Amino acid sequence: MTALVPLPVVLPLLGAGLSLLLLGKTRIQNIVTVLTIVITLCFEVAMVFYVDAHGTQVVAVGGWGIPFGISLVVDRLSAVMVVVSSIVTLCVLVYAISQEMADTNRESPVSVFNPAYLILCAGVSNAFMAGDLFNFYVGFEMLLAASYVLLTLGATPGRIRAGATYIVVSLLSSIVFLAAIGLIYGATGTVNMAQLSQRIAELPPDVQLFLHVTLLIGFGIKAAVFPLSFWLPDSYPTAPAPVTAVFAGLLTKVGIYAIIRTETLLFHESSMQVPLLVVSALTLIVGILGAVAQTEMKRMLSFTLISHIGYLLFGVAMGTVDALSATVYYTVHHIIVQTALFLAVGLVEQRVGTTSTRKLGGLARLAPFMALLFFIPALNLGGIPPFSGFLGKIGLFAPAIAGGNWLEIIVVIAGTLTSLLTLYVVTRTWSLAFWNDPADVESPTTELVTEFQQVTSAIHKNERRPRGPRLPAMMVGATAAIVTVSCLLTLAAGPLWDFSQRAGENMRDPGNYVSTSLTTHVEER
């Protein structure tokens, strides 16, 4: 069964190569890309069940042992992350294909989109499964190189400007990460994470602290934690809707995943609990206050994205089994729900041409199903029971309250306030964009006002509603699919929570990860 381990990386790379050979043949490219992700997802689902039943799986690439070999390691955490990432990338891909088919201007070069998208998928999977720091770095660079292309699709001035900021910040974080890898190798003689789990503990405390902080800075930039999150709100909203959705769902979570590995595997005997708790509280509050100040829906969601990273950092900072379990569950929730919201906002932009609440109104009457696709994940993000957002937050708050640590209690208060403000932001957005009369907004859109008046008149006269602009069916279907998945996180909360609990136990006691990795390498040698 270890043969399945490399497939989430290998299959997308093979698909990207084939897609490059098919440049100019857009329809065939799309088929190849969809099939590649579907097949990859099937293998990943099988891998999740196998890892859950039989434990951590390790593959030494090329049969090379330590210290020369590259290892791919799949435990419960990495297994569920690759599955969720493939679900998200598949839904976003279908959405993007449908949007491109409906785009008569053809401003986006789809021939470039497909191979770049598959390389992004391979990079994300490689990062989640990397068993050594340098391969981790390679995974980061793969997904970042692809993201540079995707972010600037269409080459509009706004996208190029935002892309330049994103590239500079990404290169800075990569330099910090690479420097940390060099320092760690110089201090320990290895970059294999299983070996580092043992050797870092033997270093002097001041050296450990310096290496620890360096890694956290590099990963903190990628995860967009405060105050390293300044780049995100200006970078994501300018990209095409499907690109923004996949970035929001996955890229910051790769940074959080790296922080989880740093805290539970590499530096499990040292503690950065107090600084991480402080940063998590600041990320929660500053992010949501930024969201409150926004009138543009994409920017609002970008700030809520930053804010809710604070919940994940909170769970990592506490470091208990229950906290780590809740972090796994909330990570899955946030990937799915944040992606669903960005896709729903993309539908609004596709239908109306804007996402500014100063210009929108009446969409609940004009496009009720589209309004529902925004409403459900918005409530979920706000933490309304019984949705998964509520369950995840309760899971994070409960161990903090039970522990009685005053700083953790302060973060719980910050998290509760953030949840309330999130609910305020999404309900305000709903009221302005979907419920209000479009004639009453700050900058009315003539077409929207006219359509709203026609539909309202038809309803009052019991006449047939006039048909407005129709959204592409696959765009709506892909959004509905990811919203359905977000609801399944609530319906299947019991099994998923049990799985998260087992993943949390693995992370709290990294001995199995270490012993399996080292034993496998010895056998390969």
Side-chain angles (χ1 to χ4, degrees):
M1 201 66 175
T2 55
L4 294 179
V5 173
L7 295 182
V9 179
V10 173
L11 290 179
L13 288 179
L14 291 176
L18 181 57
S19 182
L20 281 172
L21 294 176
L22 296 169
L23 286 177
K25 301 178 181 179
T26 302
R27 183 169 297 181
I28 301 177
Q29 274 190 323
N30 292 337
I31 293 172
V32 168
T33 307
V34 170
L35 286 177
T36 299
I37 297 180
V38 169
I39 294 170
T40 302
L41 177 59
C42 292
F43 285 127
E44 289 168 348
V45 170
M47 190 164 61
V48 165
F49 286 102
Y50 189 84
V51 168
D52 192 34
H54 299 92
T56 303
Q57 302 297 304
V58 184
V59 169
V61 178
W64 291 92
I66 292 176
F68 307 106
I70 295 174
S71 62
L72 296 176
V73 184
V74 181
D75 61 358
R76 289 185 176 93
L77 174 62
S78 52
V80 73
M81 292 299 285
V82 294
V83 167
V84 174
S85 67
S86 289
I87 291 172
V88 166
T89 52
L90 178 60
C91 290
V92 172
L93 175 64
V94 173
Y95 184 102
I97 291 173
S98 179
Q99 185 180 50
E100 179 61 28
M101 292 171 62
D103 182 11
T104 56
N105 294 325
R106 295 282 178 182
E107 71 169 13
S108 298
V110 178
S111 294
V112 177
F113 174 84
N114 283 280
Y117 195 79
L118 286 173
I119 291 172
L120 177 78
C121 295
V124 169
S125 296
N126 189 61
F128 286 146
M129 299 191 301
D132 66 81
L133 282 179
F134 190 76
N135 194 31
F136 213 152
Y137 172 79
V138 171
F140 268 126
E141 292 308 300
M142 287 170 62
L143 68 91
L144 288 175
S147 69
Y148 301 154
V149 176
L150 295 173
L151 191 66
T152 55
L153 286 178
T156 63
R159 290 175 185 174
I160 296 297
R161 183 169 54 254
T165 301
Y166 176 78
I167 290 171
V168 170
V169 172
S170 298
L171 289 176
L172 176 61
S173 66
S174 296
I175 290 171
V176 174
F177 185 19
L178 188 60
I181 293 173
L183 293 170
I184 288 172
Y185 182 78
T188 64
T190 185
V191 291
N192 181 274
M193 289 194 281
Q195 283 189 320
L196 288 173
S197 181
Q198 299 173 332
R199 296 186 184 182
I200 283 179
E202 300 171 358
L203 297 175
D206 56 338
V207 176
Q208 288 188 48
L209 180 62
F210 181 76
L211 297 177
H212 196 172
V213 171
T214 304
L215 280 178
L216 286 178
I217 291 174
F219 296 149
I221 296 173
K222 298 178 187 297
V225 301
F226 181 82
L228 306 174
S229 56
F230 61 91
W231 57 271
L232 192 150
D234 291 327
S235 298
Y236 284 9
T238 60
V243 175
T244 303
V246 78
F247 280 19
L250 290 179
L251 296 198
T252 53
K253 307 311 179 300
V254 177
I256 283 292
Y257 174 86
I259 293 175
I260 292 174
R261 288 299 188 201
T262 298
E263 298 305 304
T264 61
L265 183 61
L266 302 187
F267 296 94
H268 56 92
E269 293 185 2
S270 62
S271 178
M272 287 283 289
Q273 184 184 37
V274 171
L276 287 176
L277 287 173
V278 172
V279 170
S280 67
L282 290 173
T283 302
L284 285 165
I285 296 299
V286 174
I288 198 59
L289 290 178
V292 169
Q294 303 306 311
T295 59
E296 207 282 332
M297 295 171 74
K298 284 186 178 180
R299 285 185 62 84
M300 180 272 290
L301 289 178
S302 296
F303 276 102
T304 62
L305 169 62
I306 294 170
S307 177
H308 286 238
I309 292 296
Y311 288 113
L312 306 179
L313 199 60
F314 179 37
V316 177
M318 287 188 286
T320 63
V321 171
D322 289 340
L324 291 172
S325 303
T327 301
V328 174
Y329 182 85
Y330 200 85
T331 301
V332 174
H333 148 82
H334 197 239
I335 290 172
I336 298 296
V337 170
Q338 201 76 48
T339 303
L341 281 169
F342 272 101
L343 290 185
V345 171
L347 291 180
V348 173
E349 187 174 34
Q350 181 75 16
R351 192 187 190 283
V352 186
T354 181
T355 58
S356 173
T357 54
R358 295 176 177 176
K359 301 178 181 179
L360 295 173
L363 293 178
R365 177 169 293 181
L366 300 180
F369 189 61
M370 181 183 73
L372 182 66
L373 293 179
F374 179 88
F375 187 68
I376 293 174
L379 291 182
N380 201 340
L381 186 71
I384 293 295
F387 287 115
S388 56
F390 173 78
L391 299 176
K393 288 167 187 172
I394 292 298
L396 287 168
F397 294 165
I401 295 171
N405 182 304
W406 68 270
L407 187 53
E408 292 178 2
I409 298 297
I410 290 176
V411 182
V412 169
I413 295 172
T416 304
L417 178 61
T418 297
S419 186
L420 294 173
L421 287 175
T422 301
L423 187 60
Y424 162 73
V425 168
V426 295
T427 53
R428 183 191 66 183
T429 300
W430 168 265
S431 176
L432 293 174
F434 293 89
W435 195 254
N436 280 5
D437 189 320
D440 296 334
V441 299
E442 184 177 333
S443 302
T445 303
T446 304
E447 295 81 1
L448 200 60
V449 171
T450 301
E451 184 184 356
F452 183 82
Q453 291 172 345
Q454 291 173 348
V455 171
T456 302
S457 176
I459 292 174
H460 289 163
K461 295 177 181 178
N462 291 321
E463 297 177 350
R464 185 175 180 179
R465 290 165 54 112
R467 176 179 290 184
R470 301 194 65 178
L471 290 167
M474 288 200 304
M475 286 182 68
V476 177
T479 308
I482 199 73
V483 171
T484 302
V485 173
S486 73
C487 294
L488 291 177
L489 296 181
T490 301
L491 298 176
L496 181 56
W497 194 272
D498 291 340
F499 182 92
S500 300
Q501 189 75 24
R502 294 191 291 274
E505 291 169 356
N506 289 159
M507 289 186 285
R508 192 67 185 88
D509 180 15
N512 177 259
Y513 183 103
V514 174
S515 61
T516 303
S517 299
L518 296 180
T519 301
T520 300
H521 279 295
V522 170
E523 290 174 354
E524 292 289 346
R525 291 180 67 186

